[in-house]
Amino acid sequence: MDVEAAYDSVNEDQLLIATVEFKISKKEKLTDLTTETLNNLRCRVKMYNDLSEQFTTYRGLTQADALACQLLKIALENVIRDSSVEKRGTIYFESTQILAYSGDIDILYTFERAVKEAFINTDKEAQKMGLRINETTTKFMDVTMIPTNTKRLKAGNNTIEKISEFKYLGILITSNNLNTEIQHILQLTNRCYLELRKQLSSHYTRISIKLKRYKTSVRQ
């Protein structure tokens, strides 16, 4: 599930309610300070050396703000908690499992009915927070030994397209097995080794420089 324009569409009132419910600060000082940073927020747009006139924003978060990332996490956490989707345990013991990073939410499932229910509930709570699920970039994939003929998944008013592979946090995940990802990693490793082979085997390069190149280019 991909959240569309997450930073720009957060409902500030619902976000502040969530910060109070989470009891982030016992003395409510942090909540009060956060409220002040969101109320009557005036912005200006700079293009080259020209500044626009001030305008007031009533929705969304300022992406340049240091609090924006943390506030978005609180918004997504509130969505997941209110969606009644199982958050404890793993897919080995539950019918669904939630994984979330930034504005992306992954729902692992064992039954099609379970993922439909989880998607509908999450979408409903996301709308309350002002967030919109991007139907175009939201996809689903079957990871099973038995191939299925399902090409699209209908969940509520959304139609989700089926894919055979996708990249998540730098890892290529396929619908059949991990051979594709293993081959991809091997190719990257061989390419990196060939590019650094002369420098790592050179007798004129200091050991400290070789170690630095290894840590920054190979080990990461």
Side-chain angles (χ1 to χ4, degrees):
M1 298 174 63
D2 180 49
V3 180
E4 181 179 357
Y7 285 95
D8 299 331
S9 57
V10 173
N11 188 313
E12 296 177 3
D13 295 334
Q14 293 296 325
L15 176 60
L16 293 175
I17 293 175
T19 58
V20 174
E21 292 178 352
F22 290 169
K23 297 180 181 180
I24 297 176
S25 175
K26 294 182 179 179
K27 297 182 179 180
E28 299 184 355
K29 288 184 177 180
L30 293 178
T31 304
D32 294 338
L33 289 173
T34 303
T35 303
E36 292 298 324
T37 62
L38 295 176
N39 288 338
N40 298 321
L41 182 63
R42 294 186 176 91
C43 304
R44 302 177 71 179
V45 178
K46 182 177 181 181
M47 181 174 293
Y48 299 105
N49 294 324
D50 298 329
L51 283 174
S52 67
E53 297 181 356
Q54 288 188 1
F55 58 91
T56 305
T57 59
Y58 300 96
R59 295 179 66 88
L61 304 172
T62 305
Q63 296 191 36
D65 189 358
L67 287 175
C69 184
Q70 299 300 325
L71 292 175
L72 180 61
K73 289 181 181 179
I74 294 174
L76 291 177
E77 177 67 21
N78 185 76
V79 169
I80 297 302
R81 289 190 183 186
D82 292 345
S83 65
S84 300
V85 179
E86 181 60 44
K87 298 172 286 296
R88 298 181 180 180
T90 64
I91 195 64
Y92 296 104
F93 305 101
E94 305 293 343
S95 59
T96 57
Q97 181 181 350
I98 290 287
L99 301 175
Y101 179 79
S102 185
D104 296 327
I105 300 174
D106 286 349
I107 302 178
L108 307 182
Y109 62 95
T110 53
F111 303 103
E112 185 175 310
R113 176 181 55 82
V115 72
K116 287 182 178 180
E117 182 180 352
F119 181 91
I120 293 173
N121 292 338
T122 305
D123 186 27
K124 180 180 178 181
E125 296 301 327
Q127 291 180 15
K128 293 181 181 179
M129 186 58 69
L131 303 174
R132 301 184 303 273
I133 303 299
N134 193 333
E135 184 177 346
T136 304
T137 55
T138 297
K139 310 293 182 182
F140 88 97
M141 183 178 69
D142 284 332
V143 182
T144 176
M145 299 297 295
I146 303 175
T148 61
N149 297 324
T150 305
K151 295 184 179 180
R152 287 179 175 82
L153 183 68
K154 184 70 174 179
N157 297 325
N158 298 279
T159 302
I160 308 172
E161 182 183 3
K162 181 180 179 180
I163 57 176
S164 58
E165 64 179 32
F166 74 101
K167 205 164 191 177
Y168 185 69
L169 299 180
I171 301 298
L172 184 64
I173 302 175
T174 60
S175 58
N176 48 11
N177 49 48
L178 293 176
N179 289 338
T180 305
E181 173 61 17
I182 294 174
Q183 293 297 327
H184 179 66
I185 294 176
L186 289 176
Q187 290 177 3
L188 293 179
T189 304
N190 291 332
R191 186 185 306 169
C192 183
Y193 170 72
L194 292 175
E195 292 178 354
L196 298 177
R197 182 174 58 179
K198 291 183 179 180
Q199 298 180 26
L200 296 177
S201 60
S202 175
H203 297 287
Y204 301 100
T205 305
R206 290 182 296 177
I207 296 296
S208 59
I209 297 179
K210 291 182 179 180
L211 289 175
K212 184 178 295 185
R213 293 303 303 271
Y214 170 76
K215 292 179 180 180
T216 57
S217 301
V218 180
R219 196 172 68 177
Q220 67 176 358

